[in-house]
Amino acid sequence: YVDLWQTVRVVQSAIGKHYGATGFNVAVQDGATAGQSVPHVHVHILPRNAGDFERNDDVYDELQDWAPRPDMTTTSKPKLEVPDDQDRKDRTTDQMAEEAATYRQVLDNPEG
């Protein structure tokens, strides 16, 4: 795994310099239900710049609609509903602690 993520960082640096990116979306989709359409490991590295989308999360709609060729586009894809930043609710410290405790328990007992 280390080689994969070291390579991601090298690619980020190279395309960041090439495109003048000030940030990146880095994504791995694991399994068909997560949107993985090619059954092998690969990482999506998307160069980003401030203001490249009206809403920062509009990038996900663009990704959902993207196809490598015009004849591959479809209008039947559902849109990802993402709330506007001002409508998002931060989790409380207690909620985050509860979530961390759950993950800790899962990691400490991987057999179930």
Side-chain angles (χ1 to χ4, degrees), residues 5-83:
W5 294 109
Q6 286 175 336
T7 302
V8 167
R9 298 298 293 173
V10 168
V11 171
Q12 278 183 275
S13 179
I15 64 176
K17 289 175 187 170
H18 180 77
Y19 291 107
T22 57
F24 295 88
N25 285 96
V26 177
V28 175
Q29 296 157 316
D30 187 9
T33 56
Q36 182 182 15
S37 57
V38 181
H40 64 255
V41 67
H42 60 279
V43 179
H44 301 263
I45 303 170
L46 308 166
R48 300 289 307 275
N49 285 299
D52 55 1
F53 290 94
E54 185 176 336
R55 287 178 57 242
N56 195 39
D57 286 335
D58 287 345
V59 66
Y60 302 111
D61 290 335
E62 289 292 320
L63 288 172
Q64 184 72 19
D65 292 339
W66 183 85
R69 297 190 320 254
D71 62 314
M72 297 175 73
T73 60
T74 177
T75 57
S76 64
K77 296 177 185 176
K79 293 287 185 195
L80 177 64
E81 294 297 325
V82 179

